[in-house]
Structure formats: C-alpha cells, structure tokens
Amino acid sequence: MRSRKTPWLSVALWSLLSFVTLFPIYWMFVISMKAPVELFSTPDILLRSLDWSNYVEVLESPTLRGYMVNSLVISSGNAVLVTALGFLACYALTRYDLPGKESIFFWTITNRMAPPAVFLLPLFLLLTQVYRIGDFSLLDTRIGMILVYCTFNLPFAIWTLRPTLDAIPKELDEAALVDGASAWRVIWDVILPLARPGLAVTLILTWVFAWNEYLLAATLTNFTARTLTTGLSEYVTTTGTAWGIMAAISVFTLIPALIVFSLVQRHIVTGLTFGAVKG
Amino acid sequence: MATVQIRGVTKRYGGVQVMHGVDVDIEDGEFVVLVGPSGYGKSTLLRMIAGLEEVSGGTISIGGRVVNDMLPKERDIAMVFQSYALYPHKTVAQNMGFPLLMQKRPKAEIEEKVRKAAEILDLTKYLDRYPRQLSGGQRQRVAMGRAIVRDPQVFLFDEPLSNLDAKLRVSMRVEIKELHQRLRTTTVYVTHDQIEAMTMAHKIVVMRDGRVEQIGRPLDLYDRPANLFVAGFIGSPAMNFLEGRLATRDGRRVVETADGTALPLEGAAAEDGRRVTYGIRPEHISVGEGGIPVKVSVFEPTGSETLIFGRLGGQLIDALVRDRIEGEPGQTLPFRIDPRRAHLFDTATGVRL
Ligand SMILES: Nc1ncnc2c1ncn2[C@@H]1O[C@H](COP(=O)(O)OP(=O)(O)OP(=O)(O)O)[C@@H](O)[C@H]1O
Ligand SMILES: [Mg+2]
C-alpha cells in the first residue's frame, strides 16, 4: 500500500459544490417545518423545531393526494411506454436495412428542438378536437398526458438508446436465430438483458422529465389529471403564498424521485457485452 | 445428418453481384472446407446456408428440402462464428443449453446434454463461469459446445480458429477433426488457411471472387490443380511458376524460358511455341548433380528442412529440401526438377494443360 497525501484542494472543491447543490434542499426542508407566522418573522436558516403541520395538511388533502397519484401514474406510465417504444425503434434502426432510416432517426429529435410552449396549441387541439369520441376527449386525462409526454420523451429515448443497441454485436442476434430463437425471443433473451444499463438511464431521465414537467400539465389538465407540480401553483393565491405548504409538497415530489433513482440506478453498469465477441 | 446441395446460387448486394452461380454438393456426413482469400464470398455462402443472408438466385437444399425461404430456426443447423458470439450475460452452461431451451426440452435433459458436451470439450470446470472469465481457446470450445449439444443436421463453421494463436490452432484443429469423426455430422467449414483446409477436409471447395475455382479431395487439388489460382493457393510454400514456351529439344518436350533454360516435362498435349506457365512445387526440387544452375539468394534453415530461394534467368524459384544445405548467398546450386511432378498451365487463360 502506498500512502498518499490527502488531496485537500479536491476535498475543498467537492465540499463547496455539494454545499451549493444541497443547500436549497435543506432550506426547503427548513421552510416546510415552520408555521406561516414563523416564516415571516426574522429569516432563520436553522431548524429550531419540528412542526409537521404542513405535512399533515398536505397528506390530509384529498386533492393533493390525487395529484400525487396522477403524477406517479403519468410519469411511470410515460417512462415505461417511451422506453419500450424507444427500445423497439432502436432495435429496428440498428438491425434492419430500412430505407431512409438515418433521416427518420435524425428528424425524430426535432420535436425537442423547439421550446415545449410552441407545441401548446397544437397539442391542445389534438387532445380536444382530434382525439375525441362524442363527449370524451383526451384533455385532462392521465392517458392523454402520458401520450403528450411521448412527444418529447420518445425522441429523447430513441437518441439515448441508439448507441446502446449499436454496441450489441449483431452476431449475437444471428447466433440466437441459428440456435432456434424467434425474433421476439432474440429481443427478450439476448438484446434486452444487454441493453439494461441504457434502458435504466432512459427510464430515469424520461421519468424525471414527466415528473417535473409544469407547462403542459398546467394547460392540458383541469382537475382530474392534475399533477403535483401544478398543484404547487395553487398555493400562490391573491391572498398570499403558502410557502410552508409548498415546501412540504416539494419534499413530497423529491421523495418518489429519490426512490425511483435508487431502484433503477443499480442497473447502470458498464461492460455487459464484454466477452461476447473477440477479434 | 443430411446432404447439402447448392445449385446456381448467386448473391447481390444492391447493384453489386458478389456471388456468380455457385454449385456445390455435400454428402451426408462429409467435412467440406470452403477456402479462398479474404473477401471472396466464403462467409456469404455459409451465411446463406444458415439462413442469415437472403439467396438472390439459385437454390440451397438441406436433406433434400429446399430451404431458400426458411428461417434459420427451421433449418436445423448449428453455426460457430468467427467471433464466437457467446451470450455474455449467460454462464457457460446457459450458453450451451440455449439451443435446447429454445426447443423447449425438459430441464433434466438439457442439463444432461450440456454436461456430456462439456465433458467432450473439457469444459466441465467452467460451466458456471461467464464468457468474460474464459480464455480465447475456452470461449472457442464453448461456441462449439453450443453447436454440438443439439445434434443438428449440419454444422457450419466460419473461421473458428482464426482468433487463436498458432499452437492452439493446431490442437483445436485436431479436436475439431476428432469431434467430426465421432459425431459424423455434415460440416461446412470456412477458412482462408489452406493448411486447415488440407488437413481437415474430405473435400475442398476453392472459391475466388464469388465463383468456385475447383472442388476436390485435398490431395487431388494438390496433385492436379485445375488452374493457376488453385495451384498457387494450395500447398505451402507456394508452387513456383516459371513462364516460357513449349519447345522440343533433342526430341524431348521442354518448356524454354526467356533465357534459354530448358525445364523438363513428361508429355505435353500442346503444340510447340505456345506460351505456358510451368509450375513446380518447392518440395519437388532437389539439389544435386545434373540440375539446372540456379543463383541462390537466401537460405532459410528450419531444422527439419531448408528453404532455398533463388533466381532462374530473372524468375524467382525456391526449393524445399530435407538435407541441411549450407551455402553462401550468391552461390550457384544445381536444382533438379522431377519432371513427373511438373504442372503446365496456359499462361493466357491460367487453365491446366
Ligand atoms: N452487407 C454487405 N453489403 C455489401 N457487400 C457485402 C456485404 N457483405 C459482404 N459483402 C461483400 O461480399 C464479398 C464477400 O464477402 P465475404 O464476407 O463473404 O468474404 P469472405 O470470403 O468471408 O472474406 P473473409 O475471409 O475476409 O471473411 C466481399 O467483397 C464483401 O465486400
Ligand atoms: Mg468471412
């Protein structure tokens, strides 16, 4: 063993960056623990007492509970759908000789090139006018929001998954075909396990996009499919802003994200295809 | 086990034709080697037999059934890829058992067959390892194990030994041959190494530029190559080629080179004056009294034999002799050519005369 000097500079830099990123979260937590009266007295960044009343209020509100469920259903539904579709799209893009496939691949990303606000009106018309059967329209439905987020997340999924699938040698597909697998078996038994790290990254990032999205959720939902992020804004009213409640809601939005991250993160490992082919 | 018939098979990639009407007949239980330089369509032909590549024209039959439009899984073939293509997320046992799993065989049967194949290939110790934990030679054996567990109609090998070092290649060559003697499964084996072809094949198919140049038993190709290409490709060191014209000297037919040297012949069915290429293998030249004087430039002693490089009127010629000949570069040595071992080709067409 070689003794090494402690790299003080790195440690200092690392501590500074951690402080900068973590401090707002800490402060949010402090705010959520205070009654409104306390908040508007002298600002104080220390946690003096634990006052859970904001959390109780959030949890006891059926509306907010509904928003939380909506957020979970929409983000998870969207992330799973988009990752599955993106995976299949990339399988086709990397395995088949499709005429013009490079153009298809390139143009999908254009959906991400304009700010989402540009798509507000077309999406609104799509949900209210195009996809409607009698009185039923996709506006203000969870499934509607899941599909809306596909517009932005699917191109992203295709672009992140492409290199993953490109890196899986095609000879593995061929070996499996010769070994008697059907096309679906090849995807399920060979490609899917090897694409796991890429799928995990895609799942997390698309989930976070839908979970944190505000603009589209605020305009394309009224009540039934409203999400937590839009719920936040309901506490900014003409009579004042309920900072404590908002901070408590924010903590509630943070927790599921952390859980999803920790569940998916262990699949992000490298070197899965090592040993498949040599030469 | 089955026969394989390839009839007038062509292959086009877009506008480019890479295979021009290939005919090969493979008997039941035969070990056939497709050999030829790189890029001449060996892998393409093998992949068409496997069903991984579409056939543009002609037919391929396995066991009497035309398989052109069949999926790989319907053809009952097993293939060993040059890169081995092992499933990196499966253990050795799972890799070898995969074809049986696809056939939905019972678990006990799969285990039994994998165990047997592992015994044959000396892999028993490694069944629980992952491919990344194996050496190149072990991976190669796993790839073979995956092919033999299921007793297919035909084995296809695409240069399975080319990633191994020279010593391992020789021992694996023997192992594959033993395996074939034991299983007697019809085998098509692709290589660009003519020694592999010579030592392993019942029948060699020499390919060049998407065409079959010659089909025959190894020693037939060695003794009677049909053209210059096969003559130069089969045999190591390669056959000497000397250009000249047919002539008659003192009542004997000879090939006369530009500098007037007469190369001995035994009967030649062509008229005097014709431009021909005279072929003689290095091992059919000896050094001794009455030979043609050749100016030697390099001696390469390997212990068991000596390879002597020289020039005959500007044309390169080398001899492989069993004796330990020591000499100085620049020296002139008499090369004795055995006329019964000489080959004659038409220079213009390359065809054997
Ligand atoms: N997908 C493809 N598209 C276009 N041309 C191809 C394709 N695959 C192979 N070819 C061409 O077909 C010809 C035969 O290739 P093939 O791989 O069969 O050669 P090979 O004899 O196996 O060579 P090697 O010994 O290097 O493996 C080559 O000229 C190659 O460029
Ligand atoms: Mg090849």
Side-chain angles (χ1 to χ4, degrees):
Chain A
M1 286 290 258
R2 209 154 51 99
S3 71
R4 278 208 275 161
K5 272 203 201 151
T6 318
W8 288 113
L9 190 68
S10 308
V11 170
L13 209 61
W14 185 81
S15 312
L16 181 71
L17 287 174
S18 306
F19 178 77
V20 168
T21 41
L22 292 179
F23 183 70
I25 296 174
Y26 165 74
W27 205 350
M28 181 175 82
F29 183 67
V30 171
I31 294 172
S32 74
M33 285 292 175
K34 291 187 180 194
V37 201
E38 274 181 283
L39 265 176
F40 291 101
S41 54
T42 6
D44 185 358
I45 59 163
L46 291 182
L47 195 57
R48 302 274 176 208
S49 62
L50 290 180
D51 174 357
W52 295 95
S53 61
N54 288 321
Y55 289 90
V56 173
E57 195 171 328
V58 171
L59 283 177
E60 280 185 346
S61 153
T63 318
L64 286 177
R65 283 210 304 268
Y67 289 177
M68 165 121 19
V69 173
N70 284 342
S71 273
L72 276 175
V73 169
I74 291 172
S75 320
S76 309
N78 175 258
V80 170
L81 179 68
V82 146
T83 307
L85 289 178
F87 172 72
L88 292 176
C90 288
Y91 179 78
L93 282 172
T94 55
R95 263 53 189 180
Y96 294 105
D97 259 332
L98 310 167
K101 69 176 179 183
E102 289 312 317
S103 317
I104 295 173
F105 176 64
F106 175 77
W107 286 103
T108 53
I109 203 70
T110 51
N111 272 4
R112 293 294 297 241
M113 286 180 182
V118 170
F119 296 95
L120 266 182
L121 186 62
L123 284 174
F124 181 78
L125 293 175
L126 214 58
L127 290 194
T128 54
Q129 307 297 319
V130 180
Y131 298 126
R132 70 175 303 147
I133 307 159
D135 272 347
F136 175 79
S137 83
L138 283 177
L139 190 73
D140 198 20
T141 57
R142 288 172 186 168
I143 183 75
M145 289 316 290
I146 289 178
L147 294 176
V148 162
Y149 290 147
C150 281
T151 320
F152 304 96
N153 269 340
L154 190 52
F156 176 80
I158 292 174
W159 276 61
T160 36
L161 282 172
R162 171 103 191 239
T164 304
L165 287 227
D166 262 337
I168 301 175
K170 288 185 192 62
E171 273 155 56
L172 290 184
D173 301 42
E174 293 176 345
L177 286 174
V178 170
D179 283 344
S182 63
W184 282 109
R185 273 319 278 249
V186 175
I187 292 178
W188 186 254
D189 268 345
V190 179
I191 312 292
L192 201 63
L194 295 177
R196 220 176 62 204
L199 292 172
V201 170
T202 313
L203 206 66
I204 286 188
L205 293 177
T206 53
W207 190 89
V208 167
F209 173 85
W211 181 256
N212 290 336
E213 204 283 331
Y214 175 76
L215 180 71
L216 295 161
T219 25
L220 299 175
T221 62
N222 301 320
F223 177 74
T224 36
R226 247 172 137 67
T227 57
L228 265 188
T229 49
T230 57
L232 270 181
S233 65
E234 288 170 13
Y235 290 85
V236 186
T237 61
T238 42
T239 52
T241 301
W243 290 111
I245 303 257
M246 283 177 74
I249 297 177
S250 304
V251 171
F252 274 119
T253 57
L254 200 64
I255 292 166
L258 286 177
I259 294 174
V260 169
F261 261 72
S262 57
L263 284 183
V264 178
Q265 191 207 28
R266 64 198 170 87
H267 295 286
I268 306 176
V269 289
T270 53
L272 268 192
T273 53
F274 190 75
V277 295
K278 179 172 187 279
Chain B
M1 282 191 264
T3 58
V4 177
Q5 273 135 14
I6 297 163
R7 290 268 188 278
V9 164
T10 61
K11 177 69 189 173
R12 260 185 308 277
Y13 285 112
V16 191
Q17 181 143 8
V18 297
M19 191 85 61
H20 313 266
V22 168
D23 294 284
V24 183
D25 267 303
I26 299 166
E27 317 252 314
D28 196 356
E30 205 170 24
F31 196 113
V32 170
V33 173
L34 300 180
V35 69
S38 188
Y40 281 162
K42 308 177 300 283
S43 298
T44 307
L45 186 58
L46 198 73
R47 292 165 55 82
M48 287 197 281
I49 300 174
L52 295 171
E53 206 78 63
E54 243 175 82
V55 178
S56 308
T59 59
I60 294 178
S61 330
I62 298 175
R65 293 181 308 167
V66 175
V67 296
N68 282 32
D69 297 321
M70 283 189 193
L71 293 173
K73 60 181 267 191
E74 297 163 339
R75 300 186 183 202
D76 197 13
I77 37 128
M79 183 157 170
V80 176
F81 291 79
Q82 177 172 359
S83 62
Y84 314 149
L86 301 179
Y87 310 123
H89 57 297
K90 295 182 191 289
T91 61
V92 168
Q94 287 168 338
N95 262 282
M96 288 174 33
F98 188 72
L100 298 173
L101 192 70
M102 290 300 104
Q103 295 177 344
K104 305 205 172 55
R105 299 282 183 79
K107 206 165 162 247
E109 185 194 331
I110 296 181
E111 267 171 25
E112 173 63 18
K113 287 196 166 159
V114 166
R115 198 183 52 73
K116 259 198 186 140
E119 253 165 44
I120 295 176
L121 294 165
D122 200 12
L123 284 170
T124 313
K125 276 191 297 201
Y126 308 108
L127 282 176
D128 294 325
R129 291 219 196 155
Y130 287 91
R132 63 173 176 279
Q133 301 165 318
L134 300 177
S135 73
Q138 290 161 345
R139 286 182 203 173
Q140 209 285 333
R141 283 206 289 268
V142 177
M144 297 223 309
R146 193 170 62 182
I148 65 172
V149 280
R150 60 179 240 239
D151 191 19
Q153 301 245 40
V154 183
F155 279 139
L156 305 174
F157 290 89
D158 193 355
E159 309 208 18
L161 306 185
S162 60
N163 283 332
L164 304 178
D165 66 47
K167 213 167 165 184
L168 199 52
R169 203 147 60 207
V170 173
S171 67
M172 285 307 299
R173 199 161 81 197
V174 176
E175 270 185 50
I176 293 179
K177 212 170 160 178
E178 278 175 358
L179 199 65
H180 179 262
Q181 281 159 6
R182 180 166 174 166
L183 303 172
R184 300 246 156 255
T185 306
T186 311
T187 301
V188 186
Y189 185 105
V190 165
T191 179
H192 60 252
D193 178 352
Q194 60 92 22
I195 298 197
E196 259 172 50
M198 292 295 286
T199 51
M200 298 173 87
H202 291 142
K203 191 153 87 187
I204 296 180
V205 178
V206 184
M207 291 191 65
R208 178 200 197 181
D209 221 356
R211 288 188 177 82
V212 172
E213 291 283 316
Q214 190 174 1
I215 300 181
R217 286 182 299 166
L219 293 181
D220 290 345
L221 296 195
Y222 180 87
D223 290 336
R224 291 189 60 81
N227 52 45
L228 278 173
F229 177 76
V230 177
F233 192 75
I234 299 288
S236 170
M239 189 186 281
N240 293 299
F241 293 128
L242 301 160
E243 299 201 355
R245 284 174 192 282
L246 274 176
T248 308
R249 267 200 199 171
D250 310 328
R252 304 186 67 149
R253 303 296 302 279
V254 293
V255 170
E256 209 173 59
T257 60
D259 68 327
T261 311
L263 303 165
L265 271 182
E266 191 155 273
E271 70 285 3
D272 277 5
R274 180 143 171 191
R275 292 197 48 210
V276 294
T277 301
Y278 182 91
I280 183 74
R281 296 192 183 278
E283 55 270 38
H284 298 147
I285 300 177
S286 55
V287 174
E289 290 291 298
I292 300 163
V294 169
K295 196 167 178 213
V296 174
S297 54
V298 172
F299 289 90
E300 275 188 359
T302 61
S304 63
E305 38 198 27
T306 310
L307 189 55
I308 308 168
F309 293 88
R311 269 169 203 281
L312 184 71
Q315 304 194 69
L316 292 171
I317 182 166
D318 44 306
L320 185 68
V321 295
R322 301 289 289 176
D323 325 293
R324 294 208 173 167
I325 292 184
E326 286 178 32
E328 290 299 313
Q331 180 183 354
T332 299
L333 281 180
F335 275 25
R336 284 177 53 148
I337 293 174
D338 181 352
R340 286 166 307 169
R341 309 308 279 271
H343 307 261
L344 208 54
F345 305 94
D346 185 284
T347 305
T349 61
V351 176
R352 181 184 191 87
L353 292 173

